[in-house]
Amino acid sequence: MRTYRYFLLLFWVGQPYPTLSTSLAKRTSGLPAKKRALELSGSSKNELSRSKRSWMWNQFFLLEEYTGSDYQYVGKLHSDQDRGDGSLKYILSGDGAGDLFIINENTGDIQATKRLDREEKPVYILRAQAVNRKTGRPVEPESEFIIKIHDINDNEPIFTKEVYTATVPEMSDVGTFVVQVTATDADDPTYGNSAKVVYSILQGQPYFSVESETGIIKTALLNMDRENREQYHVVIQAKDMGGQMGGLSGTTTVNITLTDVNDNPPRFPQSTYQFKTPESSPPGTPIGRIKASDADVGENAEIEYSITEGEGLDMFDVITDQDTQEGIITVKKLLDFEKKKAYTLKVEASNPHVEPRFLYLGPFKDSATVRITVEDVDEPPVFSKLAYILQIREDAQINTTIGSVTAQDPDAARNPVKYSVDRHTDMDRIFNIDSGNGSIFTSKLLDRETLLWHNITVIATEINNPKQSSRVPLYIKVLDVNDNAPEFAEFYETFVCEKAKADQLIQTLHAIDKDDPYSGHQFSFSLAPEAANGSNFTVQDNKDNTAGILTRKNGYNRQEMSTYLLPVVISDNDYPVQSSTGTVTVRVCACDPHGNMQSCHAEALIHPTGLSTGALVAILLCIMILLVTVVLFAALRRQRKKEPLIISKEDIRDNIVSYNDEGGGEEDTQAFDIGTLRNPEAIEDNKLRRDIVPEALFLPRRTPTARDNTDVRDFINQRLKENDTDPTAPPYDSLATYAYEGTGSVADSLSSLESVTVDGDQDYDYLSDWGPRFKKLADMYGGVDSDKDS
C-alpha cells in the first residue's frame, strides 16, 4: 500500500487540526474520552490530492479482563469515501470477527463482546473493508490492523514444584548452597512489574535463608548437628510486583535433610566385658559379642574391632559382624584349662572412614577390657605322638615286644589310662598290647613277603570314665630276613639242535627272590653236583643275576637221547645263604640250516607223515574201553533197586511225619489245663469235658505233685503216663505245655551276651575237644588276650 490513496489511517474524530491527545496506553474502565477511529483513505473523483490527516495508527489497545456490563468499545473504522448517506457498509474479518469482535456496518464502530485474557491470546489480527451497499463492490482495498490486549496483574507466581527435596551435610559452614527454587508468573514481563518475582522465606529461620532475586536457599546457622535434628521444613514465598503491596504471591515447601558426616567417634557402653568358654572349644568358636555405639549412620558408623594387647593376644581373635557392627570374640587356638584358666584382652573399636576436619574433636576410637574364663571339661587321653611307627624283624618270635605307646589324661585329676587294640584294624590278632603300660608285642609269627606294613589303631581309655577315649594310628613295618630261596623267574624248556656246536648258548636263565635285601639281589648259578660230571651242557654264571646254558659237545642224537634234564642250583648272597634247585628241560630237535626248530620227536624219522601204528592201536583200545563202560553203567541202572529211606541207625536225616489227625479246634478247651502244670494242687476235681459225653463217669485222680528237685525227665514221663491212662482224655492229639524248667546244663549258658567279661578271661580250650571243625575257633579265641593286664 504505497499509494496515498489506499493508506490506512487512525485519527481522532471531531479534531480539525492536530493536537496531543490522551495516550492509548492508559487503561480505562469505560469508553475513552475521545473516540478512536481507523479511517480508510481513498480518492474521489473530485479530489486529485490527498488531504492532511491527524495521527496515524495501525493497532488498537484493549484492556484484558474487562468487567463492565456493556460491550467494551474498541474503536471506529471510517473511509474517506463515506459521505454519510448510508451508501457504504463496513465489513470486519480476521481473528474473532463476528464472534469476539463485532462492527456496526453503518458507523464502523468495533466492540468486544467477551472478556479477553492476555495470557490466553495477547494479539488479534483483523481486516477491515468498506463496500458499496447496493452493488457490494469494495470501494476501498482490504486493510489489516491489530488489536493488542493490555496486561493487568491477574496471575500469581507459581513454583515449578509443589514440594522440593534437598540435602546438605551436617556441620556445614554458613552460606552453603542447599537448593534453588524457581517461580514463574504468567503476566507480561515487558509491561510494568506484574511479572517481577521476589523470593522470601516464611518458615525455616534461623537455619536457612533465600536470595530474593535468584531463589537460592543457603544455610544460615553454624554447626547444625544431624544427631540433634535431621529434618527441616522450609516455606518459601514468591511475590510479584517486585514484592510491593498489592502484588500476588505463591508458596512452596522445601524438605531439607541433613546428611551424616563422621563427627562422632565410637564409644563402648561399658568398660569391661566378661565371657566364659569351655577348653574343648575348637578354633573359630564364637565366645561372645561386644558392640560400640556410634551416633553416625551408614558408612560413618562402620566399626572395626581389633585386639591391641593382652595375655591372650595369640589365643583369641575378634571379627566384625558387618550387619550388626558387633565385635565377635572367637577362639584362635586350642585352649587348655590346666595351663591357663583366664585371659585378659584389650579390644579397640575404631572408624575406618575418618574426616580430617573433625580430628580436632579427638581420636575416633575407643577401647574396652575383655576377660575370658576357661572352663574345665573332662577330656579324653592324649597320646604323646600323633602317630607311631615301629619296626620288627619278620623272624621275631611270639610275644616279642616291638615298642610302646604312651597316653595320659590331660585333666588335673590325671585319671589312669588303659590301652587296647582296635580289633577291626587287626582282624587276625597278630599284635597285642599291655593294657597297663602300652607295650606292643606279637601274638603270631610274621611274614614280610605276605604283608609288609601292618596298620592298626590303639585305643586309650580312662578307667574311671570309659566314655573318654582316644585313638592313635600305629604303623608297624616288618623288616626283611633272608628266609626265601631264589628260584627261576619262569619254567624253562628249551631245545638244542642235533647239529649244534660246542659252547653254543641255547638259553638264558633269570631268577627271582621274594626277599628284599638292603644291598640288592646277587644270585649265583651252577649245575647241581650230581649232574656236574659227564653232563652234556654247562651253566655259565654271568655275574649279573643271569646265567646261560651252553652246549658241551658237537652234535646230539635224538634217537639216543631226546630230552635232557639239567638241575641248576640258584643261591643268593645274603645271610643265611638260601638256595634252591631248578630243572631246565632241553629237548633235542631237528633244525634247518638257520637253526630253526623243525621236529623234536624220534618217531618222525620213521613216519614223517601221519600217525604211528602204536598210536592208532592205543586210540582204538581207548574207544573200546569207553563203550564197554557205558554199556555196563546202563545195565546197572536198570537192575538197581530202590534203597530204603533209612539204611541204618547211624543215617540221621530229616523226615516229615504226618498223623492226619484233626484236633478239637477252638472247642477243645479241656484237653489240657496249663495251670495244672504250674500249680498241680489247684486242679479241679469234678471238671469234665464239655465237648464229649463219656460212657462211664470216672473221677480224675489227684496225682502227687513233683518235688522241686525232681528231674525234668521224670516229671515229663509222669505227666505222659497220667494222660495215657486218663479215660476222659480226648482220642486225638492236643498241645500240652508243661512249663517246667530243668536243673540246667553242665555246659552253662551258650548265650553270646555274656561271652565277653570285663574282669576275667574265658577258657576256650574245650573247643578243641569238639572236633577239627572247632579247632579254628579255638585258635582265634583261645590265644593270649589282646588286652593283657600288667
Side-chain angles (χ1 to χ4, degrees):
M1 291 184 275
R2 292 184 177 275
T3 61
Y4 294 143
R5 185 174 183 200
Y6 299 102
F7 197 79
L8 191 61
L9 300 176
L10 182 65
F11 69 101
W12 294 105
V13 178
Q15 286 186 346
Y17 50 88
T19 180
L20 294 176
S21 64
T22 305
S23 175
L24 292 176
K26 183 177 180 181
R27 300 176 183 271
T28 59
S29 59
L31 295 174
K34 296 183 181 289
K35 293 183 178 179
R36 294 168 287 181
L38 185 63
E39 189 167 315
L40 302 174
S41 65
S43 60
S44 65
K45 297 179 181 179
N46 298 327
E47 293 179 343
L48 298 177
S49 61
R50 180 168 155 250
S51 61
K52 186 177 182 180
R53 300 206 171 92
S54 300
W55 285 355
M56 301 181 62
W57 303 84
N58 65 351
Q59 61 182 359
F60 292 122
F61 292 90
L62 190 62
L63 190 67
E64 73 168 331
E65 302 294 345
Y66 172 69
T67 58
S69 58
D70 298 331
Y71 290 163
Q72 186 178 7
Y73 184 76
V74 179
K76 184 180 181 64
L77 293 177
H78 184 72
S79 173
D80 55 2
Q81 298 294 327
D82 188 359
R83 298 294 184 248
D85 55 1
S87 60
L88 295 181
K89 181 174 67 172
Y90 295 96
I91 299 174
L92 187 66
S93 63
D95 294 340
D99 178 21
L100 188 59
F101 300 102
I102 59 176
I103 187 171
N104 189 321
E105 61 181 12
N106 295 322
T107 64
D109 293 327
I110 303 173
Q111 291 178 312
T113 61
K114 299 180 181 178
R115 294 175 59 181
L116 302 177
D117 188 356
R118 187 201 68 82
E119 287 73 35
E120 182 178 346
K121 189 174 180 63
V123 174
Y124 295 87
I125 301 175
L126 294 96
R127 294 178 296 277
Q129 191 176 32
V131 298
N132 190 290
R133 185 181 296 275
K134 294 181 179 181
T135 64
R137 300 179 62 181
V139 296
E140 297 281 359
E142 191 177 53
S143 298
E144 186 177 84
F145 66 96
I146 296 173
I147 298 177
K148 188 174 183 180
I149 309 302
H150 267 195
D151 182 51
I152 64 172
N153 189 19
D154 60 343
N155 291 280
E156 71 277 3
I158 298 176
F159 285 93
T160 56
K161 296 181 181 179
E162 293 183 1
V163 177
Y164 288 82
T165 301
T167 59
V168 63
E170 64 172 331
M171 309 299 288
S172 297
D173 296 332
V174 175
T176 301
F177 173 84
V178 179
V179 70
Q180 183 178 13
V181 296
T182 303
T184 58
D185 196 317
D187 293 326
D188 189 358
T190 63
Y191 180 75
N193 293 328
S194 298
K196 186 177 181 180
V197 178
V198 175
Y199 301 93
S200 61
I201 184 168
L202 300 181
Q203 178 182 332
Q205 295 127 336
Y207 307 104
F208 300 95
S209 63
V210 62
E211 292 183 357
S212 60
E213 295 182 358
T214 62
I216 296 176
I217 300 175
K218 299 179 179 180
T219 58
L221 191 64
L222 186 65
N223 295 333
M224 287 190 293
D225 193 358
R226 184 200 64 83
E227 286 72 35
N228 294 332
R229 183 178 178 183
E230 184 176 5
Q231 298 288 338
Y232 293 86
H233 301 282
V234 179
V235 179
I236 302 297
Q237 182 189 62
K239 191 173 184 181
D240 59 11
M241 298 298 293
Q244 298 178 5
M245 293 185 62
L248 302 177
S249 64
T251 60
T252 187
T253 300
V254 183
N255 295 325
I256 301 175
T257 303
L258 296 184
T259 58
D260 185 62
V261 296
N262 194 7
D263 58 341
N264 293 280
R267 290 288 181 264
F268 281 105
Q270 60 192 73
S271 60
T272 305
Y273 293 86
Q274 297 279 351
F275 298 109
K276 294 181 181 180
T277 182
E279 63 175 334
S280 60
S281 299
T285 301
I287 298 174
R289 291 174 175 256
I290 59 176
K291 181 175 177 58
S293 59
D294 194 324
D296 299 320
V297 295
E299 183 183 80
N300 299 318
E302 292 180 359
I303 301 175
E304 289 182 350
Y305 296 90
S306 61
I307 300 176
T308 57
E309 58 183 59
E311 302 168 341
L313 192 61
D314 59 337
M315 302 299 295
F316 301 94
D317 198 3
V318 60
I319 57 177
T320 302
D321 188 334
Q322 299 298 331
D323 296 330
T324 62
Q325 296 300 313
E326 292 178 313
I328 305 174
I329 308 295
T330 61
V331 177
K332 190 175 182 180
K333 293 183 179 180
L334 290 175
L335 303 173
D336 192 348
F337 173 81
E338 287 70 30
K339 292 183 179 180
K340 193 170 183 61
K341 299 177 176 60
Y343 295 88
T344 301
L345 309 174
K346 184 178 181 181
V347 180
E348 185 178 85
S350 60
N351 286 138
H353 308 286
V354 179
E355 293 196 22
R357 63 191 180 105
F358 297 114
L359 291 177
Y360 71 93
L361 298 176
F364 278 74
K365 58 185 178 180
D366 194 16
S367 60
T369 302
V370 178
R371 293 188 175 90
I372 301 174
T373 302
V374 180
E375 297 177 336
D376 187 26
V377 295
D378 190 4
E379 299 175 273
V382 178
F383 284 93
S384 59
K385 297 180 181 180
L386 297 178
Y388 291 86
I389 300 178
L390 302 177
Q391 295 180 347
I392 184 172
R393 289 168 56 92
E394 64 175 324
D395 59 349
Q397 298 299 318
I398 296 177
N399 293 330
T400 300
T401 301
I402 307 173
S404 62
V405 297
T406 304
Q408 62 179 1
D409 183 12
D411 298 321
R414 299 297 180 187
N415 293 322
V417 176
K418 67 175 183 179
Y419 304 93
S420 61
V421 175
D422 185 355
R423 290 305 174 190
H424 292 90
T425 62
D426 185 22
M427 299 293 291
D428 296 330
R429 295 179 174 262
I430 300 176
F431 301 97
N432 281 321
I433 188 171
D434 191 301
S435 62
N437 57 26
S439 298
I440 308 295
F441 56 92
T442 61
S443 60
K444 292 184 179 181
L445 295 177
L446 304 174
D447 186 7
R448 187 200 70 86
E449 288 71 38
T450 302
L451 187 60
L452 176 61
W453 283 94
H454 294 269
N455 304 329
I456 65 175
T457 300
V458 176
I459 305 173
T461 307
E462 291 185 15
I463 296 179
N464 297 337
N465 186 6
K467 293 183 179 180
Q468 294 295 338
S469 64
S470 57
R471 297 167 174 261
V472 69
L474 174 61
Y475 306 104
I476 301 175
K477 182 178 181 181
V478 181
L479 301 179
D480 185 46
V481 174
N482 191 26
D483 57 349
N484 291 278
E487 56 188 17
F488 283 137
E490 57 183 290
F491 175 75
Y492 289 105
E493 182 177 2
T494 185
F495 72 94
V496 62
C497 295
E498 287 183 309
K499 298 180 180 181
K501 303 296 182 181
D503 296 329
Q504 180 179 341
L505 178 66
I506 61 173
Q507 181 65 49
T508 300
L509 305 178
H510 298 268
I512 58 173
D513 194 337
K514 295 180 180 179
D515 296 322
D516 187 15
Y518 179 76
S519 58
H521 293 293
Q522 295 181 7
F523 302 129
S524 60
F525 301 85
S526 63
L527 278 175
E530 63 273 14
N533 297 327
S535 176
N536 293 316
F537 301 92
T538 59
V539 175
Q540 180 180 343
D541 193 343
N542 298 326
K543 305 300 182 183
D544 60 354
N545 294 335
T546 65
I549 298 179
L550 306 177
T551 59
R552 198 171 185 178
K553 64 178 183 176
N554 294 325
Y556 293 86
N557 190 343
R558 54 178 168 161
Q559 289 183 342
E560 296 178 358
M561 180 68 72
S562 62
T563 303
Y564 294 91
L565 301 178
L566 299 180
V568 180
V569 178
I570 312 168
S571 302
D572 56 20
N573 196 27
D574 204 354
Y575 179 81
V577 176
Q578 301 286 344
S579 64
S580 66
T581 301
T583 302
V584 179
T585 302
V586 181
R587 304 178 70 86
V588 181
C589 300
C591 301
D592 60 12
H594 301 287
N596 298 321
M597 180 182 64
Q598 290 182 336
S599 176
C600 297
H601 298 285
E603 293 80 358
L605 296 174
I606 303 174
H607 302 282
T609 59
L611 295 176
S612 64
T613 303
L616 293 175
V617 172
I619 293 174
L620 292 175
L621 183 60
C622 291
I623 294 174
M624 291 178 65
I625 293 173
L626 181 61
L627 291 175
V628 171
T629 303
V630 172
V631 172
L632 291 175
F633 180 78
L636 289 175
R637 284 182 60 87
R638 292 194 207 97
Q639 297 177 1
R640 182 177 299 172
K641 296 181 179 181
K642 186 177 180 181
E643 296 180 355
L645 182 63
I646 300 178
I647 298 176
S648 64
K649 297 181 179 179
E650 300 297 327
D651 188 2
I652 300 175
R653 306 181 187 180
D654 291 336
N655 297 284
I656 299 176
V657 181
S658 178
Y659 294 100
N660 294 326
D661 290 334
E662 184 176 358
E666 296 180 356
E667 297 296 331
D668 185 11
T669 59
Q670 302 298 324
F672 188 83
D673 186 4
I674 193 172
T676 304
L677 180 63
R678 294 176 179 173
N679 188 10
E681 297 180 356
I683 186 172
E684 298 182 12
D685 294 337
N686 298 322
K687 190 172 183 181
L688 303 177
R689 291 185 57 109
R690 292 174 297 174
D691 55 341
I692 60 173
V693 179
E695 297 178 359
L697 191 60
F698 296 94
L699 293 177
R701 295 171 298 168
R702 179 181 299 274
T703 58
T705 59
R707 293 178 298 175
D708 294 338
N709 58 355
T710 301
D711 186 77
V712 65
R713 182 181 299 126
D714 298 337
F715 179 82
I716 297 295
N717 291 332
Q718 180 182 355
R719 291 301 186 199
L720 289 174
K721 185 177 180 181
E722 292 175 359
N723 282 276
D724 290 340
T725 57
D726 188 3
T728 62
Y732 39 78
D733 294 338
S734 299
L735 178 64
T737 303
Y738 296 102
Y740 179 84
E741 185 175 359
T743 58
S745 172
V746 294
D748 295 331
S749 175
L750 296 180
S751 173
S752 61
L753 298 178
E754 298 179 356
S755 61
V756 178
T757 58
V758 178
D759 298 329
D761 299 331
Q762 296 189 30
D763 186 8
Y764 296 97
D765 294 340
Y766 67 91
L767 295 176
S768 301
D769 301 334
W770 290 9
R773 297 184 178 180
F774 295 89
K775 190 174 187 311
K776 181 63 177 178
L777 189 63
D779 292 340
M780 293 177 59
Y781 293 93
V784 182
D785 185 44
S786 64
D787 301 336
K788 180 179 179 182
D789 295 336
S790 59

